Amino acid sequence: MNTIPRRIVTGIKNGKSVIIEDQQTENVVEHLPGLIISDIWNTQKMPAGLDIETRIPNTGFPQTPKNGTYFRYVVIPPDKDLGVEFKAGEPHPMMHQTQTLDYIILLSGELHLIMEEGETLLKPGDIVIQRGTNHAWSNRSDEPCIQLAVLIDAEN
């Protein structure tokens, strides 16, 4: 399994800012071969509380808490390694929709963002603002793709 970057969490101790955690991320799951997800942090309400962390299970499709957020690290392997076949004129088999506003940053690799009508190729540094629409990710390259995502509960 790929190594997720370490997680550093800050806080307040004796009235001073401190690093309260600096370690390898432990919350990592490989849902399908090479599809690695780590839900790094979440909030349970808005405005967010700064004094508590609720550990959450990694899920293939996020279950963002009502009025909450997820901060997610995702490694998406090539489609061929997942056994995903995308046929022209048919919906992508990984098409899904979440009820969230997502801020996604591509860190490495290439990834196609597929919509019901149209698609675009994403490269490192690209940013996606995903607004609760039906979509799929397709990695048609030979290398894994890494993305960071912040998912925010939203209303239609």
Side-chain angles (χ1 to χ4, degrees):
M1 186 178 306
N2 285 6
T3 301
I4 305 293
R6 68 185 219 253
R7 183 179 99 147
I8 298 149
V9 181
T10 66
I12 304 292
K13 184 175 180 180
N14 299 324
K16 304 277 186 179
S17 64
V18 297
I19 294 172
I20 59 173
E21 179 184 315
D22 184 347
Q23 65 184 27
Q24 210 50 48
T25 300
E26 297 173 347
N27 191 19
V28 180
V29 174
E30 187 170 9
H31 290 278
L32 297 168
L35 178 61
I36 300 166
I37 296 175
S38 180
D39 291 323
I40 304 291
W41 193 263
N42 78 94
T43 61
Q44 300 289 317
K45 63 180 182 173
M46 286 292 186
L50 297 177
D51 59 346
I52 189 167
E53 175 186 6
T54 303
R55 295 280 178 158
I56 54 175
N58 288 310
T59 56
F61 296 106
Q63 299 168 2
T64 306
K66 183 72 178 157
N67 298 316
T69 66
Y70 264 25
F71 179 34
R72 176 170 268 211
Y73 181 100
V74 183
V75 178
I76 301 173
D79 288 354
K80 63 181 175 71
D81 293 350
L82 283 176
V84 173
E85 291 185 32
F86 177 44
K87 297 176 181 148
E90 294 182 17
H92 192 279
M94 302 294 280
M95 188 72 74
H96 66 285
Q97 182 176 6
T98 57
Q99 296 301 312
T100 54
L101 171 64
D102 306 343
Y103 303 146
I104 300 158
I105 303 168
L106 206 70
L107 297 181
S108 68
E110 293 185 353
L111 194 62
H112 286 82
L113 169 59
I114 302 171
M115 307 302 290
E116 291 172 307
E117 291 189 7
E119 65 179 58
T120 189
L121 175 61
L122 306 171
K123 296 193 175 201
D126 285 346
I127 298 168
V128 176
I129 311 301
Q130 169 62 21
R131 301 188 305 165
T133 54
N134 206 16
H135 67 285
W137 305 108
S138 177
N139 183 346
R140 299 172 192 162
S141 76
D142 293 325
E143 298 296 324
C145 170
I146 299 174
Q147 63 172 231
L148 286 179
V150 176
L151 292 73
I152 304 166
D153 182 42
E155 295 179 348
N156 288 341

